[in-house]
Amino acid sequence: MEGKWLIADRDLNEREGVKWWLRTSSIPITNIFLASDYQEFIVIFEREIPDVVVMELDMIGREDWSSFRELMQIYDPVLVLTSAEATFEKARLAIDMQALDLMIKPFSTTKVNSAFQKASRSIGKKNNSNGAHHPNSYKDLSYEALFISQSGSIEDYHIAAFKTENIETIGILSSFLSEYPFKDLHGVFALSDLVVLLFQESCLNITEQCQKAMRRWDEEFSEPLAIVVYTGKNPAETLNQKYLQTQKMLEFTYYKGYKQVVEFEYSPDWVHMDPFLTPPDQRTWIDMLTNFDLEKIKKWLYDEFLQLQNPYPDPGLVRIRLTSILAQIRRYMQTYNLDNQPQYEREYRYIFNSILYDTVLYRTVQNLILFIQKIFIGAEAISRNFKQDPIERGIAYMEANFSETNLKLEVVAQYVDRNPSYFSHLLISKTGKGFTEVLAGIRMKEAKRLLIETRKPIKEISLLVGYQNTNYFSRIFKETIGMSPREFRLNKAENLNIE
């Protein structure tokens, strides 16, 4: 289904890059429009009424949010939001706006492809639900009846909806179901993200047939599958109303997971959940994180999210609540400066995306626990390093950097976060030697090893242990060891045990 796309981003390279990707992709497009600021976006949007909007969240000012929200509600385009910040606030705004996707910069090719393919499918889906005929509607009016609420005399059917966790396998699922020997089956209808089966009203064992089909599917394919069977018997319901309720029921995979058949007689409503942590909750999380109490965190998360019962809260509210928790963890990371370490920042972005996009709540909670465990390991390592004796840390630093000719007391004192005079006092108190003497001892130990184990010239050894002046090195070596480097090497057989 072709459509108009409007790309709004302040960065010229981002705009042109997305435009180029769309032009070279297989996505059917009528026109692509570009906007570099919010005012230009409004002008183009009202003139062209695009089907898809790819919008940078950061270019919308606070004073423009109400107008932007109203515009999206009135025209209801497929909305893909982008941002350079993987924060709780951005996630909340994306969920509130019911955006199809939130892409965090820098974009990956996989993420862009997934989001835009999903947007393209949504155009066709919206057009179908708004009354457009499905391409196969001339063959079977049931497609039209699924998407359009029709009054009057309609043949009654029971509905079963099949959904794989990876929508890329919907074509395989459709072929599998078309070949499976269902009884009393009216037809198989493949949609962009699920497959709908219509059974004759006289069929009494739909759930049993679906369970057998799932077992066959599991034997042949590894892709998780969820099935919802709608058994409502309201004669006033149109096929479209049944389809919409069945589609909503499939959202329960977020709580129940895949690999099961769920039967419903009615579509229950979501219950409200406070999406934000209360002040007592925030204090609890601060205490649990500060005390490295992983077991208490596990219990809190299990009790909060994995003990939910029907009626369930809106999945969108659950995702926002999880991002509220992630915001607490983010502040904890900043306390230990972990947010500046690439490996932890990658993990943070992974869990951020898991919260937003994972189709099963249990998996998100497990990912969050694993992430917190990794954060604790990093924080504990930093704590141990910080609490370690400053003299031990200082000497370890000297042993690792003795070859630097400009290694001075001030450099080592700064590394252990101590005043140079105070560090010198601590060093003398603990070792009985001053900084220069300790450093010379470390260098001479390495010089002896090089003299005994290698044939390197004395000038080169001098440089390797931190002395640019070879004569000065020889003088210090003789004062420390009692003989010159050359004499030491000539008498190495007798000096192997000299310390």
Side-chain angles (χ1 to χ4, degrees), residues 260-277:
Q260 60 180 304
V261 180
V262 180
E263 182 180 303
F264 285 92
E265 292 185 10
Y266 62 93
S267 177
D269 294 324
W270 303 122
V271 297
H272 179 73
M273 164 188 268
D274 187 350
F276 305 106
L277 295 178

PDB file of all heavy atoms in Angstrom, residues 260-277:
ATOM      1  N   GLN A 260       0.595 -21.391  23.850  1.00  0.00           N
ATOM      2  CA  GLN A 260      -0.622 -21.810  24.539  1.00  0.00           C
ATOM      3  C   GLN A 260      -1.851 -21.332  23.781  1.00  0.00           C
ATOM      4  O   GLN A 260      -1.778 -20.395  22.979  1.00  0.00           O
ATOM      5  CB  GLN A 260      -0.644 -21.270  25.966  1.00  0.00           C
ATOM      6  CG  GLN A 260      -0.607 -19.763  26.089  1.00  0.00           C
ATOM      7  CD  GLN A 260      -0.623 -19.343  27.536  1.00  0.00           C
ATOM      8  OE1 GLN A 260      -1.520 -19.708  28.299  1.00  0.00           O
ATOM      9  NE2 GLN A 260       0.371 -18.576  27.925  1.00  0.00           N
ATOM     10  N   VAL A 261      -2.955 -22.015  24.055  1.00  0.00           N
ATOM     11  CA  VAL A 261      -4.249 -21.654  23.478  1.00  0.00           C
ATOM     12  C   VAL A 261      -5.112 -21.080  24.597  1.00  0.00           C
ATOM     13  O   VAL A 261      -5.297 -21.710  25.634  1.00  0.00           O
ATOM     14  CB  VAL A 261      -4.948 -22.886  22.852  1.00  0.00           C
ATOM     15  CG1 VAL A 261      -6.293 -22.474  22.256  1.00  0.00           C
ATOM     16  CG2 VAL A 261      -4.059 -23.525  21.802  1.00  0.00           C
ATOM     17  N   VAL A 262      -5.612 -19.863  24.386  1.00  0.00           N
ATOM     18  CA  VAL A 262      -6.443 -19.193  25.395  1.00  0.00           C
ATOM     19  C   VAL A 262      -7.840 -19.002  24.822  1.00  0.00           C
ATOM     20  O   VAL A 262      -8.004 -18.490  23.708  1.00  0.00           O
ATOM     21  CB  VAL A 262      -5.836 -17.829  25.791  1.00  0.00           C
ATOM     22  CG1 VAL A 262      -6.705 -17.147  26.835  1.00  0.00           C
ATOM     23  CG2 VAL A 262      -4.418 -18.012  26.317  1.00  0.00           C
ATOM     24  N   GLU A 263      -8.831 -19.416  25.588  1.00  0.00           N
ATOM     25  CA  GLU A 263     -10.228 -19.306  25.154  1.00  0.00           C
ATOM     26  C   GLU A 263     -10.939 -18.220  25.953  1.00  0.00           C
ATOM     27  O   GLU A 263     -10.823 -18.156  27.176  1.00  0.00           O
ATOM     28  CB  GLU A 263     -10.931 -20.658  25.340  1.00  0.00           C
ATOM     29  CG  GLU A 263     -12.381 -20.661  24.877  1.00  0.00           C
ATOM     30  CD  GLU A 263     -13.035 -22.030  25.074  1.00  0.00           C
ATOM     31  OE1 GLU A 263     -12.498 -23.015  24.518  1.00  0.00           O
ATOM     32  OE2 GLU A 263     -14.044 -22.099  25.795  1.00  0.00           O
ATOM     33  N   PHE A 264     -11.676 -17.345  25.248  1.00  0.00           N
ATOM     34  CA  PHE A 264     -12.415 -16.256  25.897  1.00  0.00           C
ATOM     35  C   PHE A 264     -13.865 -16.267  25.428  1.00  0.00           C
ATOM     36  O   PHE A 264     -14.153 -16.567  24.273  1.00  0.00           O
ATOM     37  CB  PHE A 264     -11.804 -14.903  25.527  1.00  0.00           C
ATOM     38  CG  PHE A 264     -10.515 -14.592  26.229  1.00  0.00           C
ATOM     39  CD1 PHE A 264      -9.305 -14.933  25.652  1.00  0.00           C
ATOM     40  CD2 PHE A 264     -10.513 -13.947  27.451  1.00  0.00           C
ATOM     41  CE1 PHE A 264      -8.112 -14.642  26.279  1.00  0.00           C
ATOM     42  CE2 PHE A 264      -9.326 -13.646  28.086  1.00  0.00           C
ATOM     43  CZ  PHE A 264      -8.120 -13.985  27.502  1.00  0.00           C
ATOM     44  N   GLU A 265     -14.747 -15.915  26.346  1.00  0.00           N
ATOM     45  CA  GLU A 265     -16.151 -15.708  25.972  1.00  0.00           C
ATOM     46  C   GLU A 265     -16.451 -14.226  25.798  1.00  0.00           C
ATOM     47  O   GLU A 265     -17.453 -13.859  25.189  1.00  0.00           O
ATOM     48  CB  GLU A 265     -17.079 -16.291  27.035  1.00  0.00           C
ATOM     49  CG  GLU A 265     -17.037 -17.811  27.114  1.00  0.00           C
ATOM     50  CD  GLU A 265     -18.059 -18.355  28.083  1.00  0.00           C
ATOM     51  OE1 GLU A 265     -18.912 -17.569  28.543  1.00  0.00           O
ATOM     52  OE2 GLU A 265     -18.010 -19.554  28.371  1.00  0.00           O
ATOM     53  N   TYR A 266     -15.614 -13.376  26.369  1.00  0.00           N
ATOM     54  CA  TYR A 266     -15.795 -11.933  26.226  1.00  0.00           C
ATOM     55  C   TYR A 266     -14.422 -11.287  26.324  1.00  0.00           C
ATOM     56  O   TYR A 266     -13.460 -11.882  26.798  1.00  0.00           O
ATOM     57  CB  TYR A 266     -16.711 -11.383  27.316  1.00  0.00           C
ATOM     58  CG  TYR A 266     -16.166 -11.582  28.710  1.00  0.00           C
ATOM     59  CD1 TYR A 266     -15.401 -10.586  29.324  1.00  0.00           C
ATOM     60  CD2 TYR A 266     -16.389 -12.768  29.401  1.00  0.00           C
ATOM     61  CE1 TYR A 266     -14.885 -10.773  30.596  1.00  0.00           C
ATOM     62  CE2 TYR A 266     -15.881 -12.961  30.686  1.00  0.00           C
ATOM     63  CZ  TYR A 266     -15.134 -11.957  31.264  1.00  0.00           C
ATOM     64  OH  TYR A 266     -14.617 -12.135  32.521  1.00  0.00           O
ATOM     65  N   SER A 267     -14.351 -10.056  25.847  1.00  0.00           N
ATOM     66  CA  SER A 267     -13.076  -9.343  25.870  1.00  0.00           C
ATOM     67  C   SER A 267     -13.031  -8.448  27.108  1.00  0.00           C
ATOM     68  O   SER A 267     -13.695  -7.407  27.148  1.00  0.00           O
ATOM     69  CB  SER A 267     -12.930  -8.487  24.602  1.00  0.00           C
ATOM     70  OG  SER A 267     -11.747  -7.740  24.643  1.00  0.00           O
ATOM     71  N   PRO A 268     -12.283  -8.837  28.143  1.00  0.00           N
ATOM     72  CA  PRO A 268     -12.239  -8.035  29.362  1.00  0.00           C
ATOM     73  C   PRO A 268     -11.504  -6.715  29.146  1.00  0.00           C
ATOM     74  O   PRO A 268     -10.626  -6.599  28.292  1.00  0.00           O
ATOM     75  CB  PRO A 268     -11.480  -8.931  30.345  1.00  0.00           C
ATOM     76  CG  PRO A 268     -10.628  -9.801  29.475  1.00  0.00           C
ATOM     77  CD  PRO A 268     -11.412 -10.019  28.223  1.00  0.00           C
ATOM     78  N   ASP A 269     -11.865  -5.722  29.935  1.00  0.00           N
ATOM     79  CA  ASP A 269     -11.215  -4.425  29.847  1.00  0.00           C
ATOM     80  C   ASP A 269      -9.957  -4.409  30.704  1.00  0.00           C
ATOM     81  O   ASP A 269      -9.849  -5.127  31.702  1.00  0.00           O
ATOM     82  CB  ASP A 269     -12.172  -3.317  30.334  1.00  0.00           C
ATOM     83  CG  ASP A 269     -13.371  -3.163  29.410  1.00  0.00           C
ATOM     84  OD1 ASP A 269     -13.188  -3.330  28.183  1.00  0.00           O
ATOM     85  OD2 ASP A 269     -14.472  -2.876  29.916  1.00  0.00           O
ATOM     86  N   TRP A 270      -8.985  -3.578  30.290  1.00  0.00           N
ATOM     87  CA  TRP A 270      -7.803  -3.394  31.112  1.00  0.00           C
ATOM     88  C   TRP A 270      -8.175  -2.637  32.379  1.00  0.00           C
ATOM     89  O   TRP A 270      -9.074  -1.807  32.378  1.00  0.00           O
ATOM     90  CB  TRP A 270      -6.733  -2.592  30.364  1.00  0.00           C
ATOM     91  CG  TRP A 270      -6.260  -3.138  29.049  1.00  0.00           C
ATOM     92  CD1 TRP A 270      -6.308  -2.511  27.849  1.00  0.00           C
ATOM     93  CD2 TRP A 270      -5.654  -4.406  28.807  1.00  0.00           C
ATOM     94  NE1 TRP A 270      -5.772  -3.295  26.864  1.00  0.00           N
ATOM     95  CE2 TRP A 270      -5.360  -4.477  27.428  1.00  0.00           C
ATOM     96  CE3 TRP A 270      -5.331  -5.494  29.606  1.00  0.00           C
ATOM     97  CZ2 TRP A 270      -4.760  -5.568  26.840  1.00  0.00           C
ATOM     98  CZ3 TRP A 270      -4.732  -6.590  29.020  1.00  0.00           C
ATOM     99  CH2 TRP A 270      -4.451  -6.624  27.660  1.00  0.00           C
ATOM    100  N   VAL A 271      -7.476  -2.921  33.449  1.00  0.00           N
ATOM    101  CA  VAL A 271      -7.662  -2.151  34.683  1.00  0.00           C
ATOM    102  C   VAL A 271      -6.541  -1.125  34.788  1.00  0.00           C
ATOM    103  O   VAL A 271      -5.491  -1.253  34.155  1.00  0.00           O
ATOM    104  CB  VAL A 271      -7.676  -3.051  35.936  1.00  0.00           C
ATOM    105  CG1 VAL A 271      -8.850  -4.013  35.884  1.00  0.00           C
ATOM    106  CG2 VAL A 271      -6.364  -3.820  36.077  1.00  0.00           C
ATOM    107  N   HIS A 272      -6.769  -0.119  35.606  1.00  0.00           N
ATOM    108  CA  HIS A 272      -5.773   0.948  35.729  1.00  0.00           C
ATOM    109  C   HIS A 272      -4.628   0.513  36.632  1.00  0.00           C
ATOM    110  O   HIS A 272      -4.812  -0.202  37.609  1.00  0.00           O
ATOM    111  CB  HIS A 272      -6.412   2.213  36.301  1.00  0.00           C
ATOM    112  CG  HIS A 272      -5.431   3.340  36.470  1.00  0.00           C
ATOM    113  ND1 HIS A 272      -4.918   4.044  35.399  1.00  0.00           N
ATOM    114  CD2 HIS A 272      -4.848   3.853  37.595  1.00  0.00           C
ATOM    115  CE1 HIS A 272      -4.074   4.952  35.848  1.00  0.00           C
ATOM    116  NE2 HIS A 272      -4.009   4.869  37.169  1.00  0.00           N
ATOM    117  N   MET A 273      -3.436   0.958  36.272  1.00  0.00           N
ATOM    118  CA  MET A 273      -2.249   0.783  37.119  1.00  0.00           C
ATOM    119  C   MET A 273      -1.529   2.125  37.158  1.00  0.00           C
ATOM    120  O   MET A 273      -1.370   2.776  36.119  1.00  0.00           O
ATOM    121  CB  MET A 273      -1.321  -0.299  36.552  1.00  0.00           C
ATOM    122  CG  MET A 273       0.087  -0.265  37.155  1.00  0.00           C
ATOM    123  SD  MET A 273       1.260  -1.379  36.342  1.00  0.00           S
ATOM    124  CE  MET A 273       1.074  -2.845  37.350  1.00  0.00           C
ATOM    125  N   ASP A 274      -1.084   2.531  38.344  1.00  0.00           N
ATOM    126  CA  ASP A 274      -0.301   3.756  38.444  1.00  0.00           C
ATOM    127  C   ASP A 274       1.029   3.515  37.740  1.00  0.00           C
ATOM    128  O   ASP A 274       1.823   2.682  38.177  1.00  0.00           O
ATOM    129  CB  ASP A 274      -0.061   4.114  39.914  1.00  0.00           C
ATOM    130  CG  ASP A 274       0.622   5.482  40.066  1.00  0.00           C
ATOM    131  OD1 ASP A 274       1.061   6.037  39.041  1.00  0.00           O
ATOM    132  OD2 ASP A 274       0.717   5.977  41.201  1.00  0.00           O
ATOM    133  N   PRO A 275       1.309   4.223  36.645  1.00  0.00           N
ATOM    134  CA  PRO A 275       2.529   3.930  35.890  1.00  0.00           C
ATOM    135  C   PRO A 275       3.810   4.482  36.522  1.00  0.00           C
ATOM    136  O   PRO A 275       4.902   4.180  36.056  1.00  0.00           O
ATOM    137  CB  PRO A 275       2.266   4.604  34.536  1.00  0.00           C
ATOM    138  CG  PRO A 275       1.349   5.736  34.865  1.00  0.00           C
ATOM    139  CD  PRO A 275       0.495   5.267  36.002  1.00  0.00           C
ATOM    140  N   PHE A 276       3.657   5.273  37.570  1.00  0.00           N
ATOM    141  CA  PHE A 276       4.829   5.902  38.187  1.00  0.00           C
ATOM    142  C   PHE A 276       5.074   5.348  39.583  1.00  0.00           C
ATOM    143  O   PHE A 276       4.132   4.969  40.284  1.00  0.00           O
ATOM    144  CB  PHE A 276       4.644   7.414  38.252  1.00  0.00           C
ATOM    145  CG  PHE A 276       4.333   8.035  36.930  1.00  0.00           C
ATOM    146  CD1 PHE A 276       3.047   8.482  36.636  1.00  0.00           C
ATOM    147  CD2 PHE A 276       5.307   8.150  35.949  1.00  0.00           C
ATOM    148  CE1 PHE A 276       2.753   9.044  35.404  1.00  0.00           C
ATOM    149  CE2 PHE A 276       5.019   8.706  34.718  1.00  0.00           C
ATOM    150  CZ  PHE A 276       3.744   9.157  34.443  1.00  0.00           C
ATOM    151  N   LEU A 277       6.330   5.312  39.981  1.00  0.00           N
ATOM    152  CA  LEU A 277       6.679   4.876  41.335  1.00  0.00           C
ATOM    153  C   LEU A 277       6.264   5.938  42.342  1.00  0.00           C
ATOM    154  O   LEU A 277       6.502   7.128  42.125  1.00  0.00           O
ATOM    155  CB  LEU A 277       8.188   4.634  41.443  1.00  0.00           C
ATOM    156  CG  LEU A 277       8.782   3.497  40.611  1.00  0.00           C
ATOM    157  CD1 LEU A 277      10.296   3.440  40.819  1.00  0.00           C
ATOM    158  CD2 LEU A 277       8.156   2.166  40.978  1.00  0.00           C
TER     159      LEU A 277
END
